[in-house]
Structure formats: C-alpha cells, structure tokens
Amino acid sequence: MRTQPSGRRWPAALRRTAIPAVAAFVALTVLSACANGGGLRVEGAEAPPASSTPSIALGTNGVQPEPKLTPEVAVDLAQVRVKLLADKHLPQYARSVLEKCTVIPRCLSRGKTVDVMHSGTPQQIVFIHTLENFVFGFFLIAVEPSGPRPIWSLKADLPTVNASPQGELVVESKIFTIDDKVCCPSGGRIEVYRWDGRQMAKVSSTDQ
C-alpha cells in the first residue's frame, strides 16, 4: 500500500469521506455530555413548580358559575297576609281579596328574592292575585329576624319582576285595551324603579 507523501494535500474524495466522520464524532460527544447532565441547559425543559393557588370549580359548560349575590329566602305568606291587612294604606281591592282568602296560596305567591335596598337583608317579591289566579300587583317584603315587613307595592297586571345588575327593580307588565280578552293583552310596559334611601322611585317607563 502506498502512503501519502507528507506535505501533499489529500485527494478530494478522501476529504469528503473524512469530514462527515469527524462531524458525526463531535455530535456524539455533545449528546453524551447532555445526557450526563452537562452541556447547555434548555430553558423550560424542567417541569414547572406546583402552584399554590387553589383550583376554581367550573360548571358543566366549562364556565365559572356566577356567585349568588342575594340568598334565596322563603318568607311566610301567612305572616305577610297579616302584616298587609294591618296596613291602613292597603288598597281596598287588595284588602278585599286578602280578607276573603282563607287558603293563602290562592291569593299570595312568592317571586324573586332581591336586595334593591342594598341593605344586605334580602327582600322578597310577593304577588297578589285573585282567586281565579289573575295577578294584579305585588309587594316588596323585607325579610327581617322579627318577621316580614312590607316596604312597597305596585299595582300591575300580570307582572314579571326582576333585579337588574345595577340593583334596580325591573317590572314588565301587560296592558289591556277595551277590546282585549283576559287571556290576551295587546300591550306591555317596562318600568324601572330605584331605591332612593327612603322609597322606590320610578326611573323610567316604556310602553310597548
């Protein structure tokens, strides 16, 4: 076998064979160092530390349920009837209905629990209706340790009463014209009331 004389360049074919071999050797050396804990440290490769923040339970649809701002209550309707009849300012028609009502659920029913007075003490909407179950108004009743206390009332036909996100009372009611049947009112009204520190004051009223 002939040896390559010193000082002379290697043939191109031999250089092409030697260079990949050297590169492969260097790559294996680097990988071996990383496997033994040396070499470059890769940011983010380590598992993140456990969080101390408690997890938040989600609803069935994956959305965090909104907290209930006003606890639900179940005011005693028999006590409400007694308090209403003791009120000298109770409208005569409402008084007549309550005096004849011996089965309380036939003339009074519970609505939503709200806190439109912003007192931290819940108030409950109590609807009043005829014995034929036609709702013609409602009362705002404060639920206190001493018992229910009437705060305010409104005459409205077939009302729906809710609290707005701003803490106002939104009343949707029906309007009957002279030709409307009891089943089918042709108009509607939306009223918004706000507690002014002493009473419920009307903010707006829109007829539909």
Side-chain angles (χ1 to χ4, degrees):
M1 178 181 296
R2 294 179 61 186
T3 60
Q4 183 71 20
S6 63
R8 296 183 60 183
R9 299 181 62 186
W10 287 17
L14 187 57
R15 290 201 305 270
R16 287 195 297 268
T17 303
I19 292 174
V22 173
F25 176 79
V26 172
L28 288 174
T29 304
V30 172
L31 290 175
S32 176
C34 291
N36 293 328
L40 297 177
R41 179 174 180 270
V42 180
E43 296 293 337
E46 298 179 0
S51 173
S52 60
T53 304
S55 60
I56 300 176
L58 300 180
T60 56
N61 58 354
V63 179
Q64 181 183 355
E66 295 183 0
K68 289 185 177 181
L69 299 181
T70 306
E72 295 293 331
V73 297
V75 66
D76 190 324
L77 294 179
Q79 293 183 6
V80 171
R81 176 177 176 269
V82 171
K83 289 295 183 72
L84 292 175
L85 288 174
D87 184 1
K88 297 180 180 179
H89 301 288
L90 183 68
Q92 184 56 45
Y93 184 66
R95 183 178 299 277
S96 176
V97 169
L98 292 176
E99 286 177 344
K100 296 176 182 178
C101 183
T102 56
V103 181
I104 308 302
R106 293 190 63 187
C107 56
L108 294 175
S109 59
R110 301 181 187 91
K112 295 287 184 66
T113 302
V114 298
D115 186 12
V116 293
M117 296 175 63
H118 310 287
S119 62
T121 300
Q123 302 98 51
Q124 187 163 71
I125 302 298
V126 175
F127 296 105
I128 182 170
H129 35 86
T130 65
L131 300 182
E132 291 77 24
N133 204 32
F134 182 87
V135 179
F136 61 90
F138 67 91
F139 300 90
L140 182 65
I141 306 294
V143 184
E144 300 177 342
S146 59
R149 180 168 65 93
I151 300 296
W152 178 71
S153 65
L154 182 68
K155 184 182 183 303
D157 292 333
L158 305 176
T160 300
V161 186
N162 294 286
S164 73
Q166 294 75 29
E168 299 169 332
L169 205 61
V170 181
V171 182
E172 300 182 41
S173 59
K174 304 300 182 181
I175 298 178
F176 291 84
T177 65
I178 192 171
D179 297 324
D180 289 342
K181 296 181 179 179
V182 176
C183 67
C184 311
S186 58
R189 177 173 295 158
I190 299 178
E191 297 173 294
V192 178
Y193 293 86
R194 179 184 302 153
W195 180 255
D196 64 4
R198 298 177 56 190
Q199 60 185 358
M200 298 298 292
K202 184 185 291 186
V203 176
S204 65
S205 178
T206 305
D207 289 348
Q208 299 176 332

